[in-house]
Amino acid sequence: MSDFADLKEDVAEAAINASRNISNFVKRQYRLRLTNSCRVCNNFNLRGHDKTFPIGRLDLDYEDVRSTAQSGCPYCALMVTFIDQLPPGVARGRQVMLEYHDNAFFEMSFAYNESVKFEIFLPPGVQIPSWPQLRNSGTIAPHAGRRECFEFIRRKIRDCENHPECNGTSYSLLPHRVLDVGPPGDKTVKIVENCKDEGQRYIALSYCWGGHLPLRSTTSNISEMKKGIAWNELPRVFSDVVYVAWMLGVQYVWIDSLCILQDDKDDWEIEASKMAEYYSQAHLVVACSTSANPTVPFLARRDPYWLPLNFKFKDKAGASHDLKIQRVRRLRYMTYTALDHNRDKVHEHDFGLLSKRAWVWQENALATRIVHYTSHGLVFECKGDIGVYTEEMPDTPLPLDWIQSLPHSFAEHSDDSYKQWHELVKTYSSRDLTFHADKLPAIGGAAAAMRKILDSDYLAGLWRKNLFNDLLWHADTWGIEKTGAFTQPPPTPLDNGSPSWSWASLNGRLSYQFADEPCSTTRVFATVRDLQVETSKHSEFGQCRGGYIVLSAPALRANLSSTIPSGYYNYHLYHVESRQTIPESIADTILEVAYPEGESEGPGTIRRAGPNSDGYYGGIQGEILCVVLQQRGDTIFTLLLARSHIDPTSFVRIGYSRVDHAKLDVSRVSVMENIVIR
């Protein structure tokens, strides 16, 4: 009887679906006759097409599109004309996918090649009555040195100077050294020092050295640099920014390699400590994202890949209209699309090679206003506006779920400034550095600015008043496969003087996911007995030269093991006292076992594996210490420590774990005194 009831229910559901399909077909045929719409594309009215997916996308068979184009549909004819101009292999597959994305631009992509997307739009002032959904937009100039590019910059600076947050930098004290570019067309520029002219502005340059040593000021040539530098001696990036200064009516330019003595360590540390001041007070920061090194000009022809193609669209009434098709701009700015707790990257701009450099993150974040020279046009951001503006649409910001202004985010005082710092560290942590010792100096200017807000001692990337939350950083293992090849590399240890408890001791994307989750109750179990950090004599925000924390805290002995080679993130943590396996443990990086010299078995020391490590890479097993830091809500957080193979009386951090309070009674865990973590 039950089977019969199920069959009856299935038949009834099939009848309803058949009725709905017949109804949709009848409605569509009636609508097509009434509106004279194309039976395949419905005149690009996706909402009125019965094959449109709930997400708003319409998939069409290319052979159907070609057939109706030959029958006189101007919309299908436009698709065929465009597709026929594409390089072989781009429009692979039989399906053409159409979508009005974010109610903005009409997008076209292809099955089996969805990474290639195009958008269709109208030039400013043009309308097609029979296609009212189509948006208007400007386009990028074919060359970055064109008049309209400089007009865009002037226009955005004028807008920016109306913001209360931005109008204090038009005229400010100049840096210690600047490049005097002279009047437009001058064939000689020169370095000037201690210029007291308060009525002048300057431009700061953000660029890639790219393994290429640019023209530099040193203790031996600074006197000659002050006398003058011939125009033809300047690398192309430097001469281009001089030209930008001329076009904007600015007399001075700050370039790090020219304005800091590169062979004078004291001068470098003093000037590096002033980065926040130099970039925030600049009239404009120019970021040349298209130049891999100083020899590659950024005032150059644009990449044809991003330039629009012009088409004529003839509607059914016979009227001809101009429209344009180009690569989808959305994909230029949305650097990540996965949706989870750690994928919010609206401040992580990807404008080219420059966006991957650690120093450049700070230069961008600290700028009052900045213009990016990218391969796909000019991009402008400032402190006073959350929006990011492009050369194509100077008055309309890009959608905020695509990208947001980094200077605005940094300048905006959050209700939780420590959480804001964590967000900044997450964004910064995976950037590239030429010199590992620069890990902290390259964010030092931002730290100096944050200290004014936080009013706390700065400790190698952490803050004393928030120490136990700041210690809860961990490797972001999203994309690091536990069962196969890495889709992104794990963090790597850095030999840069930073203590192991500082995130600056690693290079790779980090997270503060659980430290920043709201909770109603917090209980700290650890006590700081001593804390020392040794830094540059010129700045507490400069290079770290060592440090340690001495804690008294509940501590458990634990076994850490991996039965497969430690090139994978697959470690098992077992608490000896509680006799429990702790699944929520994250190693800081790949771990290894180091044995005493001349030995390859017996007791060894677990440690972080460096890129050129000589440790054992088989399955590992060893004893570690779990130090209980705090309880947030129902979760207890511990640091995973291993004996230092250099100083066995101290420990180093190798990871982090969390455990439900119901599984660990901290009151029954013995307190260990004077745990030294280096």
Side-chain angles (χ1 to χ4, degrees), residues 599-620:
E599 299 181 17
S600 60
E601 58 184 25
T605 302
I606 294 179
R607 67 182 183 187
R608 296 172 177 175
N612 301 313
S613 178
D614 58 356
Y616 177 61
Y617 273 83
I620 69 169

Side-chain angles (χ1 to χ4, degrees), residues 170 224 232 351 426 435 508 521 552 658:
S170 294
E224 294 301 316
N232 58 10
F351 296 150
K426 287 197 302 185
F435 305 106
T521 59
S552 292
R658 61 187 187 274

Side-chain angles (χ1 to χ4, degrees), residues 213-230:
L213 293 178
L215 181 65
R216 297 178 296 163
S217 291
T218 63
T219 52
S220 60
N221 71 2
I222 187 62
S223 296
E224 294 301 316
M225 295 288 201
K226 291 178 183 178
K227 293 177 183 177
I229 308 168

Side-chain angles (χ1 to χ4, degrees), residues 556-561 571-583 585 622-624 626:
L556 303 94
R557 291 183 301 113
N559 289 325
L560 188 73
S561 63
Y571 300 105
H572 304 284
L573 181 65
Y574 178 76
H575 282 176
V576 176
E577 283 93 340
S578 65
R579 299 182 180 180
Q580 292 190 73
T581 298
I582 307 302
S585 59
E623 184 175 293
I624 65 170
C626 296

Side-chain angles (χ1 to χ4, degrees), residues 388-525:
V388 176
Y389 296 83
T390 66
E391 178 184 338
E392 299 151 294
M393 301 182 69
D395 297 321
T396 305
L398 294 168
L400 296 181
D401 59 343
W402 294 10
I403 188 172
Q404 295 176 20
S405 169
L406 179 57
H408 180 273
S409 172
F410 185 77
E412 190 175 44
H413 293 179
S414 167
D415 291 337
D416 186 346
S417 295
Y418 291 113
K419 182 176 180 180
Q420 182 184 17
W421 174 255
H422 292 168
E423 290 295 327
L424 297 171
V425 169
K426 287 197 302 185
T427 305
Y428 168 79
S429 60
S430 59
R431 296 288 186 107
D432 297 332
L433 281 165
T434 302
F435 305 106
H436 293 165
D438 289 349
K439 187 72 173 183
L440 286 171
I443 198 175
M450 286 296 293
R451 209 257 301 266
K452 297 176 182 178
I453 302 170
L454 300 175
D455 188 28
S456 177
D457 295 335
Y458 182 67
L459 306 166
L462 287 66
W463 301 95
R464 186 182 294 272
K465 291 183 179 179
N466 197 50
L467 182 62
F468 291 114
N469 281 341
D470 283 0
L471 285 169
L472 297 184
W473 58 265
H474 61 88
D476 182 358
T477 56
W478 192 96
I480 301 175
E481 300 294 338
K482 296 188 177 183
T483 57
F486 297 130
T487 56
Q488 73 172 24
T492 54
L494 300 178
D495 184 14
N496 62 4
S498 299
S500 66
W501 44 264
S502 168
W503 54 263
S505 64
L506 295 173
N507 191 55
R509 185 171 176 84
L510 306 175
S511 176
Y512 284 92
Q513 174 192 351
F514 300 100
D516 290 334
E517 285 186 345
C519 69
S520 57
T521 59
T522 299
R523 182 182 178 188
V524 175
F525 296 103

